[in-house]
Amino acid sequence: MFPLQRGRRLRVNESIRSLVRETTLSPSDFMFPMFIMEGENAKVEIPSMPGIFRRTLDLTVEEVKELYALGIRAVNIYVKVNDNLKDNTGKEAWNENGLMQNAIRAIKKACPEMIVMPDVALDPYSIYGHDGIIENGDIANDATNNALVKMAVSHAQAGADFVAPSDMMDGRVLRLRQGLDEAGFHNVGIMSYSAKYASAFYGPFRDALDSAPREADIVVPKDKKTYQMDYANRIEAVKEALWDVEEGADMVMVKPGIAYLDIVREVKNAVNVPVTVFHVSGEYAMIKAASERGWLDHDKIMMEQLMCIKRAGASLISTYFAKEAAIILNK
């Protein structure tokens, strides 16, 4: 009856614990989401995301160099588009001299080895704040896909390593793969937001880009629930991920992160490509707010959550904590 197995033998001290640790983190596990705005030598902190800034292109490039020096090897970039450039077609999204295209070129010139994954969705360019073109009061799936192909090809022409469609239109991965290949960009990959849920955790992100759905002079969907996933669903996430792999996705993403670790594991078990997890703005903001009040230990909670995401099956973690976590890991 006396226990022959004692789990505590493997927990006696940190040296033993490190020998048998099943999951480890390194800076190369992280991708840093970056917000870019027009102008020069300026950065604006996002009130709901302490420590995260919209930066002009010159300061973005300097930040990228710092990230690379810390061991971070990928950035996911988003642009704050001026209101006068927004419409219902999203045509600014494939302007070869647009902010996104200029940002890709500048980052790749300054830091060629940094992997650049620009966001592919129309919401930053839409006067209605939606990820697609509005027709007859709804998102026009196929017309939106046509626009996304133009957008992705323009990113590839600027030097993007991967395109990252976050729009959740049906069939867009296949259309993007076909469009990239036809344009000669066979080696530009697709990291698809496959299981992107209609989540309230995105609030601070939408503050950063001014990309929330807004009232309009025509009938528009009041939210993004007709294309982003219902957070009550699990099997649907696996189905969406498998479809995207069949259509040519090189990586798939689950978004949000911590609240969806069951989905991460389900998707990881189902697909044969790397799984990215987005540790989103609301999850970041909650840790920042609680730690500012002294309710949580910031660094310990940050590292625990990132480790849990990796343990659940993430090959890559897109997180606003990437820089802070990399500094700790490098110590």
Side-chain angles (χ1 to χ4, degrees):
M1 298 295 292
F2 197 79
L4 296 178
Q5 292 292 339
R6 290 179 182 266
R8 290 183 59 189
R9 294 189 191 116
L10 300 180
R11 306 175 197 139
V12 169
N13 56 49
E14 176 56 25
S15 293
I16 293 175
R17 292 192 294 271
S18 67
L19 286 176
V20 299
R21 188 161 290 139
E22 299 173 32
T23 307
T24 59
L25 281 172
S26 74
S28 62
D29 290 322
F30 304 138
M31 176 165 60
F32 191 50
M34 304 188 76
F35 302 117
I36 304 169
M37 65 181 185
E38 297 282 6
E40 292 184 9
N41 194 33
K43 64 180 185 178
V44 178
E45 188 171 33
I46 299 159
S48 53
M49 300 175 69
I52 300 298
F53 298 84
R54 286 193 294 265
R55 290 179 170 84
T56 53
L57 196 49
D58 50 347
L59 298 187
T60 297
V61 166
E62 294 307 310
E63 181 75 355
V64 167
K65 292 177 181 178
E66 290 185 29
L67 295 170
Y68 192 83
L70 289 169
I72 295 167
R73 294 295 179 260
V75 290
N76 190 200
I77 58 176
Y78 304 84
V79 292
K80 172 70 169 65
V81 179
N82 292 335
D83 285 347
N84 65 312
L85 297 175
K86 297 181 179 183
D87 61 15
N88 188 36
T89 70
K91 64 180 181 296
E92 178 62 21
W94 54 90
N95 177 0
E96 65 178 75
N97 294 311
L99 180 57
M100 178 67 88
Q101 289 76 7
N102 288 335
I104 296 167
R105 282 190 286 265
I107 293 171
K108 293 301 291 185
K109 180 179 179 180
C111 192
E113 298 303 312
M114 180 65 85
I115 303 303
V116 179
M117 301 192 189
D119 179 59
V120 175
L122 296 185
D123 50 332
Y125 302 90
S126 168
I127 54 174
Y128 305 122
H130 274 286
D131 290 51
I133 296 168
I134 305 293
E135 291 181 2
N136 301 317
D138 198 6
I139 308 299
N141 190 93
D142 295 355
T144 297
N145 282 344
N146 292 337
L148 297 177
V149 171
K150 296 176 186 177
M151 186 179 186
V153 169
S154 77
H155 292 173
Q157 290 169 337
D161 300 282
F162 283 76
V163 294
S166 63
D167 55 286
M168 289 297 288
M169 297 298 111
D170 293 331
R172 92 276 207 211
V173 172
L174 178 59
R175 292 298 310 280
L176 291 176
R177 186 69 271 157
Q178 291 171 334
L180 289 167
D181 287 353
E182 288 171 4
F185 296 107
H186 305 283
N187 290 331
V188 172
I190 298 174
M191 182 192 69
S192 174
Y193 289 59
S194 298
K196 181 179 180 181
Y197 284 84
S199 172
F201 282 106
Y202 306 151
F205 174 92
R206 291 174 181 168
D207 292 342
L209 290 186
D210 188 26
S211 61
R214 60 186 70 181
E215 293 184 2
D217 54 357
I218 63 171
V219 176
V220 300
K222 65 179 180 179
D223 53 39
K224 302 191 177 188
K225 293 181 179 179
T226 63
Y227 46 101
Q228 294 179 0
M229 285 179 50
D230 184 344
Y231 58 71
N233 293 354
R234 176 178 58 86
I235 295 172
E236 183 183 10
V238 175
K239 178 180 69 176
E240 291 279 357
L242 289 172
W243 281 348
D244 284 358
V245 173
E246 290 174 1
E247 292 179 13
D250 301 283
M251 292 190 272
V252 296
M253 177 185 277
V254 175
K255 181 181 180 182
I258 282 294
Y260 293 77
L261 293 186
D262 60 321
I263 307 301
V264 175
R265 175 44 57 182
E266 292 272 10
V267 170
K268 179 69 172 181
N269 289 343
V271 302
N272 58 1
V273 299
V275 175
T276 303
V277 176
F278 205 140
H279 193 215
V280 299
S281 59
E283 295 169 320
Y284 173 90
M286 288 193 299
I287 292 177
K288 289 294 184 181
S291 63
E292 284 176 0
R293 288 176 173 262
W295 294 344
L296 295 174
D297 183 307
H298 177 280
D299 290 353
K300 288 182 179 179
I301 289 292
M302 172 182 71
M303 299 307 293
E304 181 178 344
Q305 287 204 358
L306 294 173
M307 184 69 79
C308 290
I309 294 171
K310 179 79 179 294
R311 188 196 64 218
S315 301
L316 179 64
I317 304 170
S318 184
T319 175
Y320 301 97
F321 286 118
K323 188 175 183 180
E324 293 173 275
I327 290 170
I328 289 175
L329 290 169
N330 285 332
K331 292 179 179 178

